[in-house]
Amino acid sequence: MEREEITYPLGNSDFLRVLTNSFKEFIEKGTSRSTAKLKPLHGAIARDLAEKLGRDYTVFSQGYGIGKETKIRGRYVNKAVDITVKKGERAVAGLAVKFVMQNYSQNSNNYFENMLGETANIRCGNCPYFQIFIILDKLPYYQRSGELSRWETFTAHNAEKYVTLSQDDASIYFHTPNKTLIYVVHIPDNDSLSTSREYMDYYRRLNPSLSLTEHDYNDFGNGVIFNDYELFIEKVHHTIMAL
């Protein structure tokens, strides 16, 4: 499958191409257990942030630099973080990245609760923490057999907990990320697919590019940025530089 060419600094259209490359890695591997999809995504964000911050900072992530994550000291446990920014030996920010491509409903609450817990652990350890949550607006739901039993959509109802989160005061609630990016994307539909293998084979042949969803969601407060990577990474950059 052809990969999209990426240029830096990342604009919103560039970020969509990064997500397209991540999706293609997932399709080529044919399993959600592979970490291959993480490298083009985490690595691109890490490089973009590193170039914005300059030489005084070091960014650690899969797909960038030494190609490994590093741990941030938390209030309760030390945590390996998707993207870590250090100034000297001190961690000055962490970013967690989640890209959901299948079986959302059974994990929806777990995703959210884990996000709150890991955020509280890091932020209570006096380190800013940011979250990026990416999801297809229409996802396959598979049985263990690999049968595609139904299609799920990411709806305004699913977004409600993020709307509530967006209204929290992050200076008071340490389970709230300093800023959260919600990115909902779309791939061309094919409702005739009936198994995981058919799904993977079809999109390998199609070689699709991702686009922004056309669905409407509830209005988010200041804590959440919706489908605007450029604004989000600017907020991350400003928070780090202000420390």
Side-chain angles (χ1 to χ4, degrees):
M1 300 175 73
E2 295 181 3
R3 297 298 187 267
E4 303 278 342
E5 183 177 351
I6 309 301
T7 58
Y8 296 86
L10 293 179
N12 285 321
S13 58
D14 298 300
F15 189 62
L16 271 175
R17 287 192 283 273
V18 169
L19 297 183
T20 294
N21 289 344
S22 180
F23 179 76
K24 289 178 179 180
E25 289 288 349
F26 164 69
I27 291 299
E28 282 200 341
K29 296 297 181 183
T31 174
S32 60
R33 295 181 181 180
S34 172
T35 61
K37 72 175 183 179
L38 304 180
K39 292 180 181 180
L41 175 54
H42 295 191
I45 298 169
R47 175 179 169 181
D48 190 41
L49 190 53
E51 292 186 2
K52 284 179 168 63
L53 291 169
R55 295 181 180 179
D56 291 340
Y57 298 85
T58 307
V59 182
F60 298 85
S61 171
Q62 290 191 53
Y64 178 75
I66 64 172
K68 294 182 180 180
E69 299 172 350
T70 193
K71 289 186 176 181
I72 294 180
R73 182 180 299 234
R75 171 71 173 176
Y76 309 102
V77 295
N78 297 340
K79 174 78 168 60
V81 173
D82 294 332
I83 301 170
T84 298
V85 180
K86 286 188 174 184
K87 189 173 186 180
E89 296 299 314
R90 182 171 67 98
V92 294
L95 289 82
V97 185
K98 176 72 69 177
F99 191 171
V100 182
M101 302 182 188
Q102 62 186 41
N103 287 49
Y104 173 62
S105 61
Q106 71 182 34
N107 299 305
S108 171
N109 289 335
N110 285 340
Y111 290 146
F112 191 74
E113 290 166 4
N114 289 342
M115 179 194 75
L116 299 180
E118 69 182 38
T119 301
N121 176 52
I122 299 298
R123 290 200 62 217
C124 286
N126 296 316
C127 182
Y129 204 58
F130 303 86
Q131 294 275 355
I132 299 176
F133 181 76
I134 306 154
I135 189 167
L136 299 176
D137 58 7
K138 187 172 182 178
L139 314 88
Y141 184 92
Y142 301 117
Q143 302 291 349
R144 289 186 178 179
S145 63
E147 177 190 356
L148 201 167
S149 61
R150 67 179 185 271
W151 293 94
E152 302 180 311
T153 56
F154 185 75
T155 64
H157 173 72
N158 297 132
E160 284 177 357
K161 49 184 170 282
Y162 294 98
V163 172
T164 301
L165 181 75
S166 75
Q167 297 164 352
D168 287 346
D169 184 343
S171 66
I172 297 174
Y173 299 110
F174 277 65
H175 63 269
T176 302
N178 292 80
K179 197 70 70 176
T180 300
L181 174 65
I182 305 293
Y183 222 82
V184 186
V185 291
H186 178 76
I187 56 172
D189 298 330
N190 185 346
D191 293 342
S192 68
L193 304 174
S194 60
T195 67
S196 174
R197 173 173 285 186
E198 286 184 8
Y199 182 94
M200 301 299 176
D201 287 345
Y202 173 76
Y203 285 108
R204 286 189 196 111
R205 293 192 303 271
L206 186 64
N207 194 35
S209 296
L210 276 65
S211 59
L212 293 178
T213 185
E214 294 183 353
H215 293 303
D216 291 327
Y217 297 94
N218 296 314
D219 291 333
F220 294 104
N222 290 333
V224 167
I225 295 171
F226 178 65
N227 278 8
D228 192 337
Y229 170 82
E230 289 183 62
L231 178 60
F232 171 79
I233 209 68
E234 179 184 333
K235 298 293 185 182
V236 175
H237 174 255
H238 285 172
T239 298
I240 295 171
M241 298 302 289
L243 294 174

